[in-house]
């Protein structure tokens, strides 16, 4: 994240991103904050079954669901909704009701 626009903005205006001045002074490159952002995002994606995240060593691996969502620009919120509602046996009405809740519509 050190080459991202987010990192540049976090360093220029840390208060907007919930970073206290003392944190910036103690860690000017915001290594701990960037690690926290990545870890939190990885946990959420792992919970949604879009990636597999091993917290002990920090390894990520994408899943078929995550690759499909990325390829077709399916939002995280939609994947969460589908994970909650989808079952092995659904009739056409249930499938249409689930799809109609997608964030892309």
């Amino acid at each position: 994240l050190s080459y991202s626009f987010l990192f540049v903005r976090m360093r220029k205006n840390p208060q907007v991103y919930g970073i206290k001045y003392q944190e910036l002074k103690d860690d000017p490159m915001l290594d701990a904050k960037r690690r926290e952002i990545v870890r939190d995002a990885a946990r959420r994606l792992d919970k949604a079954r879009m990636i597999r995240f091993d917290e002990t060593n920090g390894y990520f691996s994408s899943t078929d669901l995550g690759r499909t969502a990325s390829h077709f620009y399916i939002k995280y919120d939609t994947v969460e909704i589908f994970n909650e509602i989808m079952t092995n046996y659904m009739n056409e009405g249930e499938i249409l009701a689930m799809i109609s809740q997608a964030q892309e519509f």
Side-chain angles (χ1 to χ4, degrees):
L1 287 178
S2 61
Y3 297 104
S4 69
F5 183 69
L6 172 64
F7 175 65
V8 172
R9 295 302 309 150
M10 285 170 54
R11 292 212 43 217
K12 285 191 183 276
N13 198 355
Q15 290 81 17
V16 170
Y17 298 94
I19 301 168
K20 296 183 172 78
Y21 177 73
Q22 188 61 38
E23 286 179 85
L24 185 61
K25 186 177 175 187
D26 294 341
D27 184 13
M29 293 305 288
L30 299 169
D31 288 326
K33 186 67 173 178
R34 288 185 289 153
R35 249 186 252 107
E36 177 188 334
I37 290 169
V38 170
R39 190 172 296 119
D40 289 345
R43 284 181 187 138
R44 287 193 309 270
L45 290 170
D46 184 59
K47 183 179 176 214
R49 298 186 301 228
M50 295 174 76
I51 66 168
R52 291 292 116 210
F53 175 52
D54 184 0
E55 286 203 49
T56 56
N57 57 24
Y59 291 148
F60 306 171
S61 62
S62 62
T63 63
D64 289 338
L65 175 62
R67 280 189 293 277
T68 302
S70 173
H71 183 75
F72 292 105
Y73 300 97
I74 300 171
K75 294 182 180 181
Y76 170 80
D77 296 330
T78 298
V79 172
E80 275 194 321
I81 290 168
F82 285 13
N83 282 338
E84 289 174 13
I85 297 174
M86 194 178 298
T87 62
N88 290 335
Y89 303 101
M90 297 176 72
N91 63 36
E92 293 165 350
E94 292 170 331
I95 292 170
L96 289 173
M98 179 184 70
I99 291 172
S100 70
Q101 293 184 34
Q103 297 296 308
E104 290 74 15
F105 291 116

